[in-house]
Amino acid sequence: MSLTQALNTAISGLNTAQSRIAITSSNISNVNTVGYSRKIAGQETLTLDGQGAGSQIADIYRNVNEGLMREMRGDLGKAGREEVRYEFFQRVQTLFGTPQSSSAISQRINDLANAFEQLGVTPDQNSPRVEAIESAIQVMESFEKLSSQLQDMRDDIDDQITDEVGKANTLLSEISDLNTGIVRLNNLDQPTTELEDQRDQKLNALAKIVDITTFSRGDGSIVIYSANGANTLLDRTPNTLSFTQTSGFEPGTGGSGILLDGEDITATLRTGTLKGLLEMRDSELPALSDQINELAGELRDAINEEHNKGTAFPPPTNLSGNRMVAGSDPLTATGAFRIAALDQDGQLVATNSWADITLPTTPATVQGIVDAINASDAGGYLTASLVDDHLVIEGADGNRVAINELDGQITTSDGREQGVSHYFGLNDFVATVKRSDTMTSSAQNSATTALGATASSFTISAGSGVLSGGITVNYTATDSLEDVRDSIRTALQGAGMTAAASEEVAFIVEDGDRFRLVLDYPSNMTITDAGTLSSKIGMTEDQPTLAGNMDVSSAIKNDPSRIVRGQMNADTYETSNAVVDNTTAIPNLGPIVPPPVNYTLTVKGDFTDVDIDYDSTTSLDDIANAINNSATLTDNNITASVVFDSQLGGYKLSVKDADGDPFYFSDDGLPNADSLTTVLGLGIGFGVHEGDNTAAQTISGVFERDDIQFEAAGGLSGERTSLTDFAAGIVATAATKTSVSQSGYEFQSNLVTDLSTRIQNEAGVNLDEEMSDLIIFQRAYTASARVITTVDEMFDALLNTV
């Protein structure tokens, strides 16, 4: 080997050691830099013409375990999803309270139950009334707060989705730039490790937002796909994610999806913060909203059902309904209800100032009921009318008004049966706007999956337009929500509506990631289902916004004495005309013209009708014995007695229900003068007693009932339970989901931390190793320098010799 070759070899060694020392120096200086991976410089023999000529630096590479890195990115996406779920479930629990919290909705309802219980004990005192009103207001405010803040959270989520989409687009752009830099350096045969470190950091940040998978090209660039490979996020140039915020959320509405170059990719997302945010916005929060709405509706109906059965004392001068109605609105109704004009002491203003109105009226419409009331005996002392689309019953000349629903029932479109006063909202405690010009189904998970209802049909009718004659819609077990919508549109078109107009009447809206069928018509609708579809999908007039629109009746807030106390008399009857002999035929009773024809007095109530036939030979004792010998009436504690009235000098019939339950009579001999009702003057002798507190006690009993039927809502299965238990179930469910989300977040975070530690253990800088290498490289550098010095001395000696 020549001196020149030795010198060149030493210089190469010097350069190699210098380069490796520089790389080691960079490793040491970045020991605490997040995302920095240890750089390793390879070393190889330098050859010239097959002869060794020293050494040179080979490739500089990173000590990164790509398998662990891919695994960590998958877990980063899962952790991102769990993190946002936990964040919002924490907010939900703060909003709902814990099961033991005094501010939880279940405790608010329990406080209301206690207030009504006290009211039932002392209904004549003002303090318990005010307390009941204030407790109810707190419950309504809680419902409104829960409903509105759940929607506010959905608004917040939309803001976060916008931010996350913006971050993702920025990261994709930055990764694209780094790809370009890496390719350029590769073409120049320069190290790319620093840029690769930066790219890994960007990829990790992107993986937390949206689930990704990558593919490496030979030039060092990468292609990014969504994790399921369905969408390309980056290939040479980035594709743009976009998102449009919803202007405002209400229960029953949905939000926008994530678009990739204009194509909705929401359904393809599996992990990442975007997935978690969309789940909370479109699934979890709407489900909680449904639960609150279901509780609010059942609470309202349970209280109003009992409140409408009673009357205040003194009775009010008018009853004004909460339901928006038109005179032509059709009604599906049965039974009868009682209306009466009373004085301020609760007494009838006249012996005939009351009437039982048989349903259905002719015609079977709202106006038919108005006309029937005005045409009855009570119509001379009170007036029924429609005022601003509400049913109003008002006493004449300052008379007071009371109603007893008896067994009268009006069937709503979702199959529920409500008393007449309850249906019209004449004496509601909880006030909401009732209207049926819009019908909405419960949320369905799919618009295209078979609903599974037994094949049948339903009829939709209204008081005007093409629905005035009603349309019949057939359905089968395989029909989906879209099929039902299309069948309704077809039936509307068959009745004369244009296709465009039918699409405005029947349509499907997205509620988060669920679907609702909506019927919107310029007149109140009635749905009569021969099967079970309307109840199965929950077609109801109660909008998903119900929970946020409840209040205590303004009439009751302004006058607490309008809280009901007693019940309009329907359990005590007497005859006003006496007979001299109770064992012989009642004079003038029954047909007097042969052939003899029997009339029938029917006892009606919450039991099977009991018929009592009578004719001109029937005595007072015969009527009493027929009532007392009826097993049905005996089982219901209804008894009759014949009593002597000394003032009238004769015998009278008295019929009572010992339990205070309402019942009534119908007489097919009416309106003939020889009917039993006319001859004996059978009827009620009073309206309501001041000391009657049965209605107040019944309302307090609402909260003790454990048979209230709650429909399935927001993941809670349908069940029969109490109001407080269902409310507690909602709170407990929210607490459980918060706990589960916390566990999921902590588990995924620990996985990411563990993987990060393992990656760092392999790729991170170890100072001991670097210092050891530094000593080795330093010695190599010193040795190469010594060789150069030696060669230099040898050159000097050679020159001096010459």
Side-chain angles (χ1 to χ4, degrees):
M1 177 183 292
S2 67
L3 289 178
T4 302
Q5 186 176 0
L7 179 62
N8 289 334
T9 299
I11 291 172
S12 72
L14 194 69
N15 290 334
T16 299
Q18 182 178 344
S19 296
R20 299 195 72 177
I21 289 172
I23 292 171
T24 301
S25 175
S26 177
N27 286 342
I28 292 172
S29 65
N30 284 285
V31 66
N32 294 316
T33 301
V34 177
Y36 181 85
S37 61
R38 183 185 182 214
K39 307 304 184 297
I40 301 173
Q43 184 172 332
E44 61 185 8
T45 300
L46 178 63
T47 60
L48 293 174
D49 294 330
Q51 298 295 318
S55 64
Q56 64 180 3
I57 294 295
D59 291 336
I60 299 174
Y61 61 93
R62 304 179 306 151
N63 189 30
V64 174
N65 188 324
E66 293 293 343
L68 286 179
M69 190 68 78
R70 284 193 296 272
E71 186 177 350
M72 187 181 74
R73 285 177 189 147
D75 283 322
L76 274 170
K78 295 175 183 177
R81 171 180 176 267
E82 295 299 334
E83 181 179 357
V84 296
R85 286 173 61 86
Y86 179 40
E87 173 193 346
F88 280 96
F89 273 125
Q90 280 184 302
R91 292 177 59 180
V92 166
Q93 178 149 14
T94 300
L95 176 61
F96 278 54
T98 63
Q100 297 79 27
S101 172
S102 60
S103 61
I105 187 65
S106 53
Q107 185 58 46
R108 295 289 193 193
I109 293 175
N110 191 59
D111 292 342
L112 179 59
N114 293 335
F116 272 119
E117 183 178 3
Q118 182 60 37
L119 179 65
V121 176
T122 55
D124 55 329
Q125 297 181 10
N126 194 57
S127 177
R129 298 174 191 161
V130 173
E131 183 177 350
I133 292 172
E134 291 302 320
S135 293
I137 289 174
Q138 287 187 350
V139 171
M140 305 309 144
E141 289 178 346
S142 294
F143 277 126
E144 192 281 329
K145 179 181 178 181
L146 291 171
S147 180
S148 64
Q149 292 201 15
L150 285 173
Q151 306 316 311
D152 288 345
M153 280 190 231
R154 297 179 76 192
D155 270 329
D156 293 345
I157 288 173
D158 253 24
D159 292 339
Q160 287 197 27
I161 292 175
T162 299
D163 292 342
E164 294 296 284
V165 167
K167 290 177 185 177
N169 283 329
T170 299
L171 289 168
L172 286 168
S173 178
E174 291 172 345
I175 293 170
S176 177
D177 291 341
L178 289 168
N179 268 347
T180 302
I182 290 170
V183 171
R184 181 179 62 82
L185 290 177
N186 272 331
N187 290 336
L188 296 174
D189 202 23
Q190 295 294 313
T192 62
T193 53
E194 300 297 341
L195 294 184
E196 290 177 33
D197 277 353
Q198 294 178 37
R199 187 173 65 183
D200 278 349
Q201 289 297 98
K202 304 297 182 183
L203 286 170
N204 290 345
L206 182 63
K208 186 175 180 181
I209 297 172
V210 58
D211 49 334
I212 61 171
T213 187
T214 60
F215 168 74
S216 297
R217 295 186 183 277
D219 59 7
S221 66
I222 61 169
V223 181
I224 305 176
Y225 303 99
S226 59
N228 60 6
N231 309 292
T232 304
L233 300 175
L234 172 66
D235 186 3
R236 305 297 184 189
T237 58
N239 294 324
T240 303
L241 292 168
S242 61
F243 174 72
T244 303
Q245 285 191 239
T246 303
S247 58
F249 282 97
E250 288 188 356
T253 62
S256 301
I258 308 297
L259 304 182
L260 180 64
D261 280 351
E263 180 184 353
D264 195 326
I265 64 167
T266 306
T268 68
L269 300 178
R270 300 186 303 184
T271 62
T273 55
L274 286 178
K275 178 64 174 179
L277 290 168
L278 289 166
E279 283 179 336
M280 292 302 299
R281 188 196 69 177
D282 295 339
S283 298
E284 300 291 357
L285 296 182
L288 289 170
S289 185
D290 280 352
Q291 294 170 13
I292 292 298
N293 209 63
E294 177 67 14
L295 175 61
E298 292 299 338
L299 177 75
R300 177 200 64 178
D301 288 345
I303 293 176
N304 285 346
E305 178 182 2
E306 298 305 328
H307 202 268
N308 276 281
K309 291 178 181 178
T311 186
F313 192 91
T317 57
N318 66 81
L319 296 173
S320 181
N322 284 323
R323 179 176 291 278
M324 301 284 290
V325 293
S328 58
D329 289 348
L331 298 175
T332 301
T334 59
F337 68 95
R338 178 168 298 166
I339 190 76
L342 309 176
D343 60 24
Q344 64 178 0
D345 296 324
Q347 299 300 315
L348 295 170
V349 297
T351 57
N352 66 338
S353 65
W354 66 281
D356 290 345
I357 309 299
T358 301
L359 299 173
T361 56
T362 303
T365 62
V366 171
Q367 189 62 47
I369 288 182
V370 171
D371 294 342
I373 292 174
N374 292 332
S376 70
D377 288 344
Y381 306 92
L382 50 80
T383 302
S385 60
L386 296 180
V387 180
D388 296 331
D389 300 323
H390 294 83
L391 175 61
V392 176
I393 304 175
E394 189 167 13
D397 301 324
N399 291 337
R400 308 302 179 100
V401 181
I403 191 169
N404 190 308
E405 293 180 320
L406 300 178
D407 63 349
Q409 299 283 345
I410 297 178
T411 304
T412 62
S413 293
D414 56 357
R416 292 175 296 166
E417 293 183 333
Q418 296 180 340
V420 174
S421 181
H422 185 193
Y423 177 81
F424 287 104
L426 292 170
N427 204 6
D428 281 351
F429 181 88
V430 180
T432 57
V433 176
K434 301 177 180 179
R435 57 190 307 157
S436 52
D437 53 355
T438 299
M439 296 283 184
T440 306
S441 77
S442 58
Q444 306 295 312
N445 291 329
S446 170
T448 56
T449 302
L451 295 168
T454 304
S456 189
S457 66
F458 60 83
T459 301
I460 308 175
S461 56
S464 62
V466 299
L467 290 181
S468 58
I471 60 169
T472 298
V473 180
N474 297 313
Y475 56 86
T476 67
T478 59
D479 278 353
S480 65
L481 209 61
E482 288 187 354
D483 294 329
V484 175
R485 176 203 62 191
D486 294 342
S487 295
I488 294 173
R489 288 176 175 177
T490 299
L492 288 169
Q493 293 168 32
M497 185 176 285
T498 65
S502 70
E503 292 173 2
E504 295 293 323
V505 173
F507 52 92
I508 291 174
V509 297
E510 292 188 20
D511 180 0
D513 57 5
R514 305 160 318 159
F515 305 88
R516 295 181 189 268
L517 173 64
V518 178
L519 302 180
D520 191 357
Y521 189 74
S523 179
N524 290 325
M525 293 173 286
T526 297
I527 300 176
T528 305
D529 198 338
T532 60
L533 179 66
S534 63
S535 59
K536 185 177 183 66
I537 65 174
M539 289 303 296
T540 175
E541 66 196 31
D542 288 334
Q543 301 296 317
T545 56
L546 171 67
N549 295 280
M550 296 170 59
D551 197 4
V552 175
S553 166
S554 59
I556 290 176
K557 285 198 290 188
N558 294 332
D559 181 7
S561 68
R562 288 193 64 140
I563 297 178
V564 300
R565 289 169 53 183
Q567 193 173 62
M568 167 67 184
N569 178 27
D571 60 9
T572 301
Y573 296 83
E574 289 185 349
T575 55
S576 57
N577 300 323
V579 296
V580 176
D581 190 342
N582 59 297
T583 62
T584 61
I586 300 171
N588 303 317
L589 181 67
I592 58 176
V593 178
V597 177
N598 289 335
Y599 290 151
T600 301
L601 180 73
T602 303
V603 187
K604 298 186 175 185
D606 190 17
F607 47 79
T608 304
D609 291 353
V610 175
D611 292 334
I612 299 172
D613 294 330
Y614 67 90
D615 57 23
S616 57
T617 65
T618 302
S619 68
L620 206 59
D621 278 357
D622 291 336
I623 301 296
N625 290 335
I627 292 174
N628 292 331
N629 290 334
S630 167
T632 298
L633 298 180
T634 299
D635 289 343
N636 285 275
N637 293 321
I638 296 175
T639 58
S641 60
V642 176
V643 297
F644 183 78
D645 189 325
S646 57
Q647 291 183 343
L648 296 178
Y651 293 92
K652 296 166 59 176
L653 177 68
S654 175
V655 186
K656 295 183 179 180
D657 186 309
D659 298 325
D661 296 328
F663 68 98
Y664 65 104
F665 297 97
S666 68
D667 191 341
D668 69 357
L670 290 171
N672 300 322
D674 57 353
S675 70
L676 184 147
T677 300
T678 302
V679 171
L680 294 179
L682 178 63
I684 58 174
F686 66 91
V688 59
H689 289 312
E690 180 177 4
D692 185 0
N693 66 343
T694 55
Q697 290 177 333
T698 302
I699 294 176
S700 68
V702 163
F703 300 91
E704 298 176 2
R705 288 177 52 191
D706 59 3
D707 62 343
I708 296 177
Q709 179 62 59
F710 289 90
E711 301 299 327
L716 290 179
S717 58
E719 61 177 330
R720 289 186 179 274
T721 186
S722 67
L723 292 166
T724 51
D725 283 350
F726 190 81
I730 294 175
V731 175
T733 298
T736 299
K737 288 194 172 186
T738 302
S739 177
V740 170
S741 65
Q742 180 181 6
S743 298
Y745 171 56
E746 291 175 350
F747 175 76
Q748 288 300 146
S749 296
N750 290 337
L751 278 181
V752 170
T753 300
D754 179 64
L755 286 169
S756 179
T757 301
R758 291 168 62 188
I759 290 171
Q760 192 64 25
N761 287 340
E762 291 188 33
V765 176
N766 185 303
L767 286 178
D768 292 338
E769 291 182 9
E770 299 301 324
M771 292 302 295
S772 176
D773 287 345
L774 187 60
I775 293 172
I776 294 173
F777 301 150
Q778 181 186 14
R779 289 177 177 175
Y781 186 91
T782 302
S784 295
R786 181 60 181 166
V787 170
I788 293 174
T789 301
T790 301
V791 171
D792 182 57
E793 292 174 351
M794 293 176 69
F795 269 117
D796 286 342
L798 181 62
L799 289 174
N800 290 332
T801 301
V802 174

